[in-house]
Amino acid sequence: MTKPSSSAPSQRMLRVGEQVRIAITQVLQRGDVRDPLIETSVISVSEVRMSPDLKVATAYVTPLGQKDHTAVITALNKHARYLRGRVSPMIRQLKYMPELRFRDDTSFENYAKIDALLRSPEVARDLGHDDANDDDNTNNNNQDGGN
């Protein structure tokens, strides 16, 4: 019997990813990394995705309050080996400590675009039109049911 192929992460990948996320967050909060850019930035680690073999951890981060995230992402990637060494004692159940990679988290920007789209006049007009039809149908149903 063949193993079903799925693009969804396994429970172990999710669990280990969350443990790595917590460990990275703790190291960054303690200020262990001696880089002026990282020390002065508030960095949110929103998600860590593990590779299927658990040897690569991709951390999606957002430097809060900064327009240009590339400098902070570059600095984190530069110090990835040091961070890996600091995170390693916190994750003892793994045979190999995963290689850390940092990427910019663009999900908040995507959420903002979707929210702006939903609040646009065209969508509001369409939603208002549907609500008016629903009210008419409700009134017609009430009148029909009452007779």
Side-chain angles (χ1 to χ4, degrees), residues 1-144:
M1 180 145 72
T2 61
K3 184 178 177 183
S5 62
S6 173
S7 62
S10 68
Q11 287 296 318
R12 181 162 186 193
M13 289 168 60
L14 293 172
R15 181 175 44 87
V16 171
E18 183 62 16
Q19 290 173 344
V20 171
R21 185 190 71 79
I22 291 168
I24 291 172
T25 302
Q26 289 174 351
V27 170
L28 291 175
Q29 283 179 345
R30 284 195 311 249
D32 289 349
V33 182
R34 297 289 176 219
D35 186 304
L37 188 58
I38 295 174
E39 287 178 335
T40 58
S41 300
V42 178
I43 301 170
S44 169
V45 183
S46 57
E47 181 183 10
V48 174
R49 292 184 189 163
M50 300 299 298
S51 64
D53 62 357
L54 301 178
K55 290 190 177 184
V56 177
T58 304
Y60 292 90
V61 299
T62 303
L64 302 176
Q66 295 185 5
K67 295 290 182 190
D68 185 26
H69 299 172
T70 56
V72 175
I73 302 296
T74 303
L76 286 170
N77 281 315
K78 181 177 135 187
H79 296 287
R81 290 188 66 187
Y82 176 77
L83 285 166
R84 180 182 180 191
R86 301 302 293 174
V87 167
S88 180
M90 298 177 197
I91 304 171
R92 298 175 187 209
Q93 77 274 13
L94 293 178
K95 186 174 183 178
Y96 301 103
M97 182 58 202
E99 172 190 342
L100 298 178
R101 296 178 183 169
F102 295 92
R103 303 286 181 262
D104 190 15
D105 184 15
T106 59
S107 62
F108 296 115
E109 293 169 6
N110 292 338
Y111 297 146
K113 287 178 186 175
I114 291 170
D115 186 51
L117 181 64
L118 290 174
R119 294 179 188 275
S120 70
E122 294 84 14
V123 173
R125 181 190 67 226
D126 291 344
L127 290 176
H129 183 66
D130 287 340
D131 290 343
N133 285 342
D134 289 343
D135 291 340
D136 291 342
N137 290 338
T138 304
N139 290 338
N140 290 338
N141 289 340
N142 288 340
Q143 291 172 357
D144 292 340

